[in-house]
Amino acid sequence: MGRSAVNVAGGKRGRITIHDVAAAAGVSISTASKALNETGRMSVETRERVKRIAGEVGFRPNALARGLLSKRSFTIGLLTNDTYGRFTLPVMAGISEALVDHGVSVFLCAIEDDPALGQTHVDAMLEKQVDGIIATGKRLDRQLPVDLSNLHVPVVYAFTEGTPTSVTFRSDDAQGARLAVEWLVKMGRRRIAHITGPEDFFSVRERAGAYRNVIGGEGVVMFGRWAEAWGHEAVAQIWSRQDEKPDAIFCGNDQIARGAVDALRERGIRVPEDVSVVGFDNWEIVAGQTRPPLTSVDMELKELGRQAGLTILALAEGRPVEPGVRKLPCRLVVRQSCGAQSPRR
Amino acid sequence: MGRSAVNVAGGKRGRITIHDVAAAAGVSISTASKALNETGRMSVETRERVKRIAGEVGFRPNALARGLLSKRSFTIGLLTNDTYGRFTLPVMAGISEALVDHGVSVFLCAIEDDPALGQTHVDAMLEKQVDGIIATGKRLDRQLPVDLSNLHVPVVYAFTEGTPTSVTFRSDDAQGARLAVEWLVKMGRRRIAHITGPEDFFSVRERAGAYRNVIGGEGVVMFGRWAEAWGHEAVAQIWSRQDEKPDAIFCGNDQIARGAVDALRERGIRVPEDVSVVGFDNWEIVAGQTRPPLTSVDMELKELGRQAGLTILALAEGRPVEPGVRKLPCRLVVRQSCGAQSPRR
DNA sequence: CTGAAAGCGCTTACAG
DNA sequence: CTGAAAGCGCTTACAG
């Protein structure tokens, strides 16, 4: 008891080591180690005493020393080229949430689209003995500008293109688009248009394909830019034509949807009474501030991050994981832009 | 040469250690270590040979082992309660940019406003022997829900409230507001109103105070919420009154400014011809998409992050750092909402 | 100019 | 039930 107080200050640099705990408890460091780790066999009394004293002196095991032995650093790296963070932040939140209970911390490395910077960060992670790397990005059909194959540590891809033998998590954009269009149909809409982003995006083609499947025909698909201004322009184009006007618009993302809603309002067309609008991404800052707030497809990126985190953990622990692409379902978030009814999920 | 190839596979687990390099080069591990670290004295020939072979076999020093000796992990933690990332991402980018060249990696920990989660993350960081912790948040007048004093590692605060003896970086909101209002004055505006957020925010009071100082009177200050809808409402209130209308509005953030601009347009009031508008935050997604795009005050959070990073590094290396609050200047980003003229900076 | 030895803080067979 | 010893991968005095 009295002796423990003497050692509270710890050795040099103020850090308390297992030696201090052992000395204070009057046992060897091996016994102290086993007591704290619930391994080995010893009297309950000894184990409890060591643990109590460790708590009293504020002992915190040095993860560096531990990692040196165990070959596990309880550290992973998250690599992203999405500097703006629109997609990376929810993914990061999911990873962190899944791993914090396992004592795993996450290095975040934003590499823009700079291969040299990417290599620097990968090298730094590897030297720090990360247990694995999760690569994430801003589009499903592009790889990060770094080579992550043959790395000696497991790699998982989330919301970015992976390699054929890796495990890759992505949103099921076709299913998400289906959700949106079927919802519009269920609201009684029959003339549904689709205003979306650049056709060279894989997800744009996926979403457009699903749109066509649901409406059972060619429909009206307008490819453009990921911008509010494009939503405006597209509405102007449609309403300047002679043909019958749509009673619903499925937009490729929330920014386009916001532009479309604003353009409709400025034309005196009511949303959702005259025209229903659905967005994609469920980006709160955009969807929530639109008048009226947008019903939108959420890609569940946090859940995607969580699964990527649990997978990298499994790989790091040597548990078997089936390689391949895993599509995660999207969810429709109902606000006011399609009418008041709530989904019957 | 031939021998090095034999060792490429490394020891168990495929990792190549300094033993492999030493063996391949035919020297002792001490010599290998000194050769690689440019320390000690030896023939240039030996040093070069060791370095060449290390490169050939793909040797990567184990930072865990290194850290155990040097008491430096080349790792820092970034703690934030800003889950949305609006403020944290630029800060993080600045930190990372400043430290990557020094071989330092960053653990990102989002703790929401949960003290227990905060403690868990702090404990994890401390066990991993971080060289320091940077605390950041979403407002200048609130502390994170964790106690970071008496930590045995240096702590720096950036865009969140620190402790009296710590070093804290924050934006100079008064100077930023002055920049905005002086700009409006320079554009010939004389009746400048101020629509802003909740009065209990320190930065709201700072900005309002600077506004009053520049216009030299009480002015029109309307406190409200950080939302587009509030910008709308405030404009409606002003324009429903009998008195003379403002010819400029300085808004407390970009969302309010966007709402105000939309409300003005809907009233047939032209921006910037009839009324100039300035926002605050320079949040690209809002400021850039407003019609017309917003002139806005940028808090230079990336620079703030960079300085926080360099400071924590200095502290970690034992260099002396003056404690106290450091206010960093804001910058006015000119777009189209005040007129076409560009700043004469 | 080069190497043997001690040690960073811990864990884990192996003895007793 | 408990402890001495070896070792994880490196660095750094200290000898030679």
Side-chain angles (χ1 to χ4, degrees), chain B residues 76-205:
Chain B
I76 69 153
L78 178 62
L79 212 55
T80 178
N81 65 345
D82 168 35
T83 23
Y84 195 75
R86 162 74 189 91
F87 303 111
T88 296
L89 267 165
V91 172
M92 165 81 201
I95 295 171
S96 186
E97 213 173 278
L99 298 186
V100 69
D101 294 332
H102 298 268
V104 176
S105 305
V106 182
F107 288 122
L108 179 60
C109 306
I111 63 171
E112 330 254 331
D113 283 297
D114 180 348
L117 185 59
Q119 194 56 52
T120 302
H121 271 126
V122 170
D123 287 345
M125 289 175 172
L126 260 18
E127 291 189 2
K128 276 150 194 155
Q129 312 297 120
V130 291
D131 296 332
I133 293 178
I134 299 178
T136 188
K138 49 194 172 190
R139 55 187 286 191
L140 297 173
D141 50 358
R142 289 287 184 274
Q143 292 205 236
L144 294 194
V146 273
D147 182 18
L148 262 22
S149 46
N150 315 315
L151 231 48
H152 284 159
V153 299
V155 176
V156 165
Y157 297 84
F159 207 75
T160 191
E161 190 169 303
T163 60
T165 59
S166 63
V167 15
T168 303
F169 291 92
R170 47 158 288 203
S171 50
D172 188 343
D173 288 58
Q175 172 266 351
R178 218 177 298 128
L179 230 44
V181 183
E182 283 171 352
W183 178 249
L184 290 169
V185 170
K186 204 178 325 174
M187 303 297 285
R189 301 309 187 171
R190 289 297 167 262
R191 299 181 309 281
I192 304 172
H194 183 38
I195 307 177
T196 187
E199 194 171 3
D200 75 297
F201 274 68
F202 172 75
S203 50
V204 164
R205 297 192 300 275

Side-chain angles (χ1 to χ4, degrees), chain B residues 28 30-31 34 41-42 46 69 71:
Chain B
S28 71
S30 356
T31 300
K34 278 174 285 195
R41 18 196 76 259
M42 71 192 65
T46 305
L69 274 303
K71 306 290 174 204

Side-chain angles (χ1 to χ4, degrees), chain A residues 73 75-79 107-111 114-133 145-153 155, chain B residues 15-16 54-55 57-64 66 73-75 99-106:
Chain A
S73 65
T75 277
I76 69 154
L78 178 62
L79 214 54
F107 288 122
L108 179 59
C109 306
I111 63 172
D114 180 347
L117 185 58
Q119 194 57 52
T120 303
H121 271 126
V122 170
D123 287 346
M125 288 176 174
L126 260 19
E127 292 190 1
K128 276 152 194 153
Q129 312 298 116
V130 291
D131 297 331
I133 293 177
V146 271
D147 182 16
L148 261 21
S149 47
N150 315 314
L151 231 48
H152 284 159
V153 301
V155 176
Chain B
R15 276 319 203 318
I16 289 146
V57 301
F59 170 67
R60 225 185 278 281
N62 183 326
L64 266 35
R66 228 177 210 186
S73 66
F74 289 90
T75 277
L99 298 186
V100 69
D101 294 332
H102 298 268
V104 176
S105 305
V106 182

Side-chain angles (χ1 to χ4, degrees), chain A residues 28 30-31 34 41 46 69 71:
Chain A
S28 71
S30 358
T31 300
K34 279 175 285 195
R41 19 195 75 258
T46 305
L69 274 303
K71 308 289 176 204

